Amino acid sequence: MSEKYILGVDGGGTKTHCVLYGIEDMDSYLFSFPTSNHEKLRGGYTQLEKVIEEMVAIICSSRSISVNDILSSCFNLSGIDFPYQEKLIANMIENTGLRHFILRNDTYAGIKANCENGYGIAAVNGTGCCIAGINENGEAIQLGGLGEISGDRGGAHHMIQLAVSAVYDWLFRGGEKTALTSELSKALDTKPERVPEKAFQAFEKNDEVAIRKMAIAVYAAADLKDKKAFDILEEIGDYYVDNIIAVYNRLGFTSAEIPVTLIGTQFIKGENPAIINRIKKRLEKGGMPFKVSVSVSKPVVGSVLWAAEMMGFSVSEREKIKLCLKDI
């Protein structure tokens, strides 16, 4: 009997990770592709269909298998925020020949990757932000991820915009003096009075290098005990707390302890812990049932585990798979 596989896909705004996992031999194969977010593709949904088709074809060709050898798959893709999008993209996946699959927003992958029993709450703080939860019965909800429409107040872009606004206030409106001015000036290699212009250009061009430097500058200002920078970070922390509690209330969790996993670049690589500390301080005190931790497993691992869960793999069996994928 030829080997059968599970496929996990985690598609973000800049890249897509796929893992093909052999059910019998427990070998895993990692594939990296460009973005699979229709919002980031010039051709939108039309181009996404081609991207999905090509990814599946390349993965199958690499092992000389057919889609029929993939017994279960999970696609966690950014840009899926509404049922109509899920239905549209599910049809694209079906057109590849895959049948037994689940399709959800990429935030959910963090829950499956980092919450031991497959339920809990995940908060993403990366370029943008999103909060999602899955309860003990498999019911799920996602909050945020729509930008201004959903009032998102997390992610690097929002953090930087608040910081540049504070600099703008000081430069032109007689606002509070802040170390953000000098730190952002150094990050953008420009004079203080040109920080707003240079920041605007960075966003206009989607200059990831400049955006990353500006994010680091905000943390650097907080390290200098700058009140404005610290207030920005704590405000973002409060936003995540409010949304995590909202997800908890909407899903009606029944367990005595609910795991909360923090994922995304700004949580994992943030140079100042003010946001994380604020979240932990508010969520883990006062008798609230939350246990907060920063993500240790890549989201694509969660996609593989969810595909395994769909096949009926037990928690202990999924833990064995997770162990096999620890170096992915």
Side-chain angles (χ1 to χ4, degrees), residues 207-254:
D207 185 340
E208 292 183 15
V209 174
I211 290 170
R212 176 62 182 155
K213 287 181 178 179
M214 285 191 287
I216 293 172
V218 179
Y219 293 117
D223 286 340
L224 294 173
K225 310 300 181 184
D226 182 77
K227 182 178 183 302
K228 202 68 181 179
F230 200 77
D231 286 349
I232 288 171
L233 298 182
E234 288 211 324
E235 176 187 324
I236 291 172
D238 287 339
Y239 168 79
Y240 279 102
V241 168
D242 292 343
N243 279 268
I244 289 166
I245 292 174
V247 168
Y248 171 77
N249 289 335
R250 288 290 300 272
L251 288 178
F253 287 93
T254 58

Side-chain angles (χ1 to χ4, degrees), residues 26-46:
M26 295 187 293
D27 284 341
S28 57
Y29 308 91
L30 175 66
F31 303 83
S32 294
F33 300 98
T35 182
S36 52
N37 183 330
H38 66 275
E39 298 170 346
K40 305 296 183 180
L41 296 170
R42 289 188 176 182
Y45 290 109
T46 300

Side-chain angles (χ1 to χ4, degrees), residues 34-291:
T35 182
S36 52
N37 183 330
H38 66 275
E39 298 170 346
K40 305 296 183 180
L41 296 170
R42 289 188 176 182
Y45 290 109
T46 300
Q47 186 177 352
L48 176 60
E49 184 162 19
K50 295 178 181 178
V51 166
I52 291 173
E53 181 181 348
E54 289 175 359
M55 286 196 307
V56 173
I58 290 171
I59 290 168
C60 288
S61 176
S62 73
R63 303 303 303 161
S64 299
I65 62 174
S66 75
V67 290
N68 294 325
D69 294 312
I70 301 175
L71 302 186
S72 179
S73 55
C74 175
F75 287 74
N76 292 112
L77 306 181
S78 60
I80 298 179
D81 302 300
F82 297 105
Y84 83 88
Q85 295 171 318
E86 189 175 313
K87 181 178 180 181
L88 185 63
I89 297 172
N91 288 335
M92 299 177 190
I93 297 172
E94 286 184 350
N95 288 340
T96 68
L98 293 172
R99 287 294 178 265
H100 191 57
F101 66 86
I102 188 169
L103 171 66
R104 292 290 188 275
N105 182 277
D106 61 332
T107 305
Y108 291 108
I111 298 172
K112 297 298 183 180
N114 294 286
C115 299
E116 182 180 0
N117 294 308
Y119 65 80
I121 298 172
V124 175
N125 188 13
T127 301
C129 70
C130 191
I131 300 90
I134 302 173
N135 70 12
E136 298 90 339
N137 298 320
E139 298 167 322
I141 187 174
Q142 171 193 334
L143 297 181
L146 306 176
E148 292 183 3
I149 290 177
S150 53
D152 295 354
R153 299 200 302 277
H157 283 203
H158 178 75
M159 179 180 71
I160 295 165
Q161 287 164 0
L162 290 176
V164 175
S165 177
V167 172
Y168 193 96
D169 283 345
W170 181 73
L171 288 172
F172 305 116
R173 298 192 181 111
E176 181 182 343
K177 188 175 182 179
T178 170
L180 288 165
T181 306
S182 59
E183 293 302 320
L184 286 168
S185 179
K186 286 189 291 185
L188 295 170
D189 192 22
T190 191
K191 296 178 181 179
E193 58 268 24
R194 295 197 65 194
V195 164
E197 176 189 356
K198 290 292 187 179
F200 186 88
Q201 288 179 323
F203 283 121
E204 193 174 46
K205 298 175 182 178
N206 195 27
D207 185 340
E208 292 183 15
V209 174
I211 290 170
R212 176 62 182 155
K213 287 181 178 179
M214 285 191 287
I216 293 172
V218 179
Y219 293 117
D223 286 340
L224 294 173
K225 310 300 181 184
D226 182 77
K227 182 178 183 302
K228 202 68 181 179
F230 200 77
D231 286 349
I232 288 171
L233 298 182
E234 288 211 324
E235 176 187 324
I236 291 172
D238 287 339
Y239 168 79
Y240 279 102
V241 168
D242 292 343
N243 279 268
I244 289 166
I245 292 174
V247 168
Y248 171 77
N249 289 335
R250 288 290 300 272
L251 288 178
F253 287 93
T254 58
S255 299
E257 184 176 273
I258 307 302
V260 176
T261 180
L262 307 179
I263 59 181
T265 307
Q266 300 308 309
F267 280 139
I268 296 171
K269 296 183 179 180
E271 285 76 8
N272 183 287
I275 298 177
I276 295 173
N277 289 344
R278 184 72 165 184
I279 292 171
K280 286 186 174 182
K281 181 179 179 180
R282 287 192 55 196
L283 287 183
E284 294 186 341
K285 294 189 176 181
M288 303 187 80
F290 301 109
K291 181 62 177 177

